[in-house]
């Protein structure tokens, strides 16, 4: 017997709700640097996990992922396109950090990095499609972290000429 379409939709909504609650809890559990800096956040997450995270700009051609998370025996490496504009670079770095926070598991290294021995590189996460569940979750968590960073900065920053002083709730401006 096949499940009814309504039940599949209900299961999908429930799964999305669980994912959102999980990501909110992860984002709320982070102490974000003010002003926000993804490299500083990476250092904080590395200390918390007791494992180094190296950020590595790279020159590579288009068609490859704009960011890669490579987990090796001794450290994790986030590789990103060197000439990425700063705002996009911050998002890429936070997206890859979100994979670490969510404890996602990538594909064996031979898939994306066939020239490196699998003993050296255990797993690789590279964005190939936004519709994959791990990519959706990492994107959601990255967005929540960056949203919190904006709210935190706006709550501690100078008054906005258009909206006035920050709200007292620390939840940003209207």
């Amino acid at each position: 017997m096949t499940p009814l379409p309504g039940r599949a939709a209900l299961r999908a909504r429930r799964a999305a709700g669980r994912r959102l609650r999980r990501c909110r809890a992860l984002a709320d559990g982070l102490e974000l640097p003010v002003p926000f800096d993804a490299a500083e956040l990476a250092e904080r997450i590395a200390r918390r996990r007791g494992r180094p995270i190296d950020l590595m700009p790279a020159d590579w051609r288009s068609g490859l992922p704009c960011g890669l998370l490579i987990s090796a025996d001794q450290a994790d490496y986030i590789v990103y396109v060197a000439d990425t504009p700063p705002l996009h670079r911050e998002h890429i770095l936070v997206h890859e950090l979100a994979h670490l926070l969510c404890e996602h598991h990538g594909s064996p290294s031979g898939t994306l990095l066939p020239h490196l021995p699998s003993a050296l590189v255990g797993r690789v996460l590279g964005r190939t499609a936004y519709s994959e569940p791990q990519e959706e979750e990492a994107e959601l968590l990255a967005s929540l972290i960056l949203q919190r960073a904006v709210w935190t900065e706006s709550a501690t920053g100078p008054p906005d000429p258009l909206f006035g002083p920050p709200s007292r709730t620390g939840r940003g401006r209207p």
Side-chain angles (χ1 to χ4, degrees):
M1 174 184 247
T2 58
L4 299 173
R7 289 184 187 207
L10 181 59
R11 280 194 304 276
R13 281 195 302 275
R14 286 180 179 160
R18 285 190 301 273
R19 188 170 43 247
L20 178 60
R21 286 188 297 279
R22 178 176 186 244
C23 287
R24 279 187 178 152
L26 287 168
D28 289 346
L30 294 173
E31 183 181 331
L32 301 180
V34 177
F36 184 78
D37 179 66
E40 172 62 26
L41 179 62
E43 289 177 25
R44 290 178 182 197
I45 292 171
R47 281 193 301 272
R48 187 168 122 178
R49 294 174 69 234
R51 182 175 164 86
I53 300 171
D54 289 335
L55 306 180
M56 302 173 61
D59 295 318
W60 59 39
R61 66 181 193 278
S62 63
L64 292 173
C66 51
L68 281 176
L69 172 61
I70 302 170
S71 293
D73 286 341
Q74 301 300 318
D76 294 304
Y77 303 91
I78 296 176
V79 184
Y80 61 94
V81 179
D83 62 354
T84 301
L87 185 61
H88 188 205
R89 182 179 53 243
E90 291 278 299
H91 187 87
I92 292 166
L93 295 176
V94 175
H95 174 96
E96 301 305 332
L97 290 168
H99 280 299
L100 291 173
L101 292 167
C102 292
E103 299 178 355
H104 289 160
H105 300 286
S107 59
S109 61
T111 307
L112 289 173
L113 302 171
H115 59 285
L116 294 177
S118 59
L120 176 64
V121 179
R123 299 265 175 208
V124 178
L125 277 163
R127 182 182 319 179
T128 55
Y130 284 102
S131 60
E132 295 173 9
Q134 289 188 38
E135 291 302 323
E136 287 178 359
E137 187 172 47
E139 196 65 21
L140 175 59
L141 179 53
S143 296
L144 290 171
I145 291 169
L146 291 169
Q147 181 182 47
R148 237 188 89 219
V150 169
W151 287 345
T152 301
E153 286 183 19
S154 65
T156 59
D160 184 285
L162 183 60
F163 291 115
S167 73
R168 293 179 188 208
T169 63
R171 296 266 182 197
R173 296 186 174 90

